[in-house]
């Protein structure tokens, strides 16, 4: 009995010592140094500027109040923040139970989750839920355009380990939807200073295959414009603004939206097949060609 008591006291004492040691480590955790090192590594690997606030070590998770992603070095113009992740945390439980590293956080009034296998990080998954796109600074880069709505999507990257080792393009699948989307174009010289009616899309569904060539497998629009979009985007790694697009649009305006388009009836007539607008758009991100009508 005495041996059991002594053993129990020894184990309890050992646990207390370990807990005190862990508590001391948590109090002196080098969160700033680790955050700075992680920011530098991510920025150098991706070419996109990361800024991570000091990491905090808790009993069940590693967390940081904010991670911001700013414009890449190759993009001309002032540096601005594109995405801001709030209350980012990596729970330890998922590592123990499933062997996966998971990161949860808030993204512009929505939720974000990232996961990858810890031992063999060949795959990478990202999901977003109810992100308010009008809150995302990234959309401020689109000239003469205002966009609002709710974005939910999932991204699966199958070559994550290769990306870390040799770079290249992410390969995998991107699926999702936009709800209650409003798109307002304010003209500008690129659009001949034309004032277009506001688009109100109740739902936009999208399914893209990712790689050096992004393939639009299934894009459906519902609302002011009903129809589909398909085609490809050929990415240029060295000159991203010279990436080329080849997209086909097959769209039918709703009766109300058709009335608002009456002032453009002469222009649209050259792209119409009956009541449907059917055209192809080619060019590069930096310079688009004039659209051409597809065969009816």
């Amino acid at each position: 009995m005495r041996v059991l008591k002594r053993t129990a006291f020894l184990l309890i004492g050992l646990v207390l010592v370990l807990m005190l040691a862990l508590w001391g480590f948590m109090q002196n955790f080098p969160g700033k140094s680790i955050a700075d090192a992680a920011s530098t590594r991510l920025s150098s690997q991706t070419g996109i500027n990361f800024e991570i606030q000091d990491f905090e070590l808790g009993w069940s998770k590693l967390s940081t109040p904010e991670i911001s992603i700013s414009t890449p070095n190759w993009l001309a113009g002032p540096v601005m923040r594109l995405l801001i992740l709030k209350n980012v945390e990596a729970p330890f439980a998922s590592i123990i139970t499933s062997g996966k590293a998971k990161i949860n956080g808030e993204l512009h009034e929505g939720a974000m989750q990232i996961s990858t296998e810890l031992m063999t990080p060949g795959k990478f998954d990202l999901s977003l839920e109810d992100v308010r796109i009008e809150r995302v600074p990234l959309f401020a880069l689109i000239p003469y355009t205002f966009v609002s709505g709710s974005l939910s999507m999932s991204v699966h990257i199958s070559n994550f380990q290769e990306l870390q080792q040799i770079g290249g393009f992410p390969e995998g699948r991107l699926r999702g939807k936009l709800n209650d989307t409003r798109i307002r174009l304010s003209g500008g010289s690129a659009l001949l200073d034309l004032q277009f009616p506001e688009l109100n899309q109740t739902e936009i569904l999208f399914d893209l295959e990712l790689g050096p060539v992004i393939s639009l497998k299934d894009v459906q629009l519902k609302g002011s414009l009903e129809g589909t979009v398909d085609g490809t985007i050929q990415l240029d790694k060295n000159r991203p603004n010279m990436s080329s697009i080849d997209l086909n649009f097959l769209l039918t305006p709703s009766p109300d939206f058709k009335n608002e388009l009456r002032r453009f009836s002469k222009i649209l007539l050259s792209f119409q097949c009956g009541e449907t607008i059917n055209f192809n758009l080619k060019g590069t991100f930096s310079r688009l060609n004039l659209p051409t009508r597809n065969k009816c």
Side-chain angles (χ1 to χ4, degrees):
M1 184 63 73
R2 286 183 179 180
V3 173
L4 289 176
K5 286 183 178 180
R6 288 177 180 177
T7 303
F9 282 128
L10 180 63
L11 291 174
I12 292 171
L14 182 60
V15 169
L16 289 173
V17 169
L18 289 174
M19 290 181 67
L20 287 171
L22 179 59
W23 181 81
F25 178 69
M26 288 167 58
Q27 295 301 308
N28 297 281
F29 182 67
K32 186 179 188 310
S33 300
I34 296 175
D36 290 344
S39 300
T40 301
R41 182 175 177 81
L42 286 169
S43 299
S44 63
Q45 282 188 333
T46 64
I48 299 172
N49 295 304
F50 281 79
E51 184 177 346
I52 303 175
Q53 292 190 5
D54 298 1
F55 281 115
E56 300 171 4
L57 179 63
W59 293 104
S60 62
K61 64 185 178 182
L62 181 67
S63 62
T64 177
E66 183 179 289
I67 298 176
S68 64
I69 302 173
S70 301
T71 46
N73 297 326
W74 50 262
L75 189 65
V79 175
M80 65 172 292
R81 299 203 293 180
L82 304 179
L83 295 172
I84 303 169
L85 310 176
K86 297 281 190 180
N87 300 320
V88 181
E89 58 183 40
F92 300 143
S94 61
I95 298 174
I96 298 170
T97 58
S98 64
K100 286 186 176 182
K102 291 187 178 181
I103 299 174
N104 305 315
E106 301 168 11
L107 179 63
H108 303 290
E109 300 186 17
M112 173 212 71
Q113 184 177 87
I114 296 172
S115 67
T116 183
E117 297 287 345
L118 194 61
M119 301 304 295
T120 55
K123 299 176 182 179
F124 173 92
D125 291 285
L126 164 68
S127 67
L128 303 177
E129 191 70 31
D130 295 328
V131 175
R132 298 302 308 179
I133 58 177
E134 67 270 20
R135 302 287 187 186
V136 180
L138 172 64
F139 286 92
L141 294 178
I142 306 174
Y144 313 113
T145 305
F146 169 80
V147 184
S148 68
S150 173
L151 169 65
S152 297
M153 72 176 195
S154 63
V155 183
H156 174 75
I157 304 299
S158 58
N159 64 333
F160 185 56
Q161 195 164 20
E162 293 176 21
L163 287 175
Q164 293 179 301
Q165 294 171 349
I166 60 177
F169 295 105
E171 298 178 4
R173 206 66 176 262
L174 186 158
R175 296 183 176 94
K177 64 179 179 178
L178 283 158
N179 289 324
D180 301 322
T181 308
R182 292 169 53 217
I183 303 172
R184 185 170 65 246
L185 303 176
S186 60
S189 57
L191 298 172
L192 305 177
D193 293 315
L194 295 174
Q195 297 299 315
F196 293 94
E198 183 177 285
L199 273 171
N200 289 278
Q201 300 299 135
T202 56
E203 192 174 54
I204 301 175
L205 304 173
F206 53 90
D207 183 354
L208 282 64
E209 187 176 296
L210 304 178
V213 178
I214 298 175
S215 177
L216 280 67
K217 308 298 289 185
D218 185 21
V219 179
Q220 300 180 33
L221 289 78
K222 301 176 182 180
S224 296
L225 290 173
E226 302 263 348
T228 60
V229 183
D230 64 63
T232 58
I233 301 173
Q234 177 76 53
L235 298 175
D236 188 321
K237 180 181 179 181
N238 298 319
R239 297 181 300 169
N241 62 326
M242 295 304 293
S243 298
S244 60
I245 69 171
D246 183 359
L247 302 176
N248 297 302
F249 296 80
L250 188 63
L251 307 170
T252 303
S254 67
D256 290 341
F257 193 64
K258 185 177 179 181
N259 288 333
E260 296 185 36
L261 290 173
R262 280 182 299 180
R263 77 185 89 163
F264 305 106
S265 57
K266 291 184 179 180
I267 299 174
L268 293 176
L269 188 61
S270 58
F271 303 111
Q272 285 185 238
C273 295
E275 296 295 319
T276 302
I277 303 169
N278 187 358
F279 67 94
N280 173 267
L281 186 63
K282 291 183 179 179
T284 64
F285 287 167
S286 61
R287 185 174 182 179
L288 292 174
N289 300 327
L290 291 173
T292 57
R293 184 173 71 175
N294 288 323
K295 291 182 179 180
C296 295

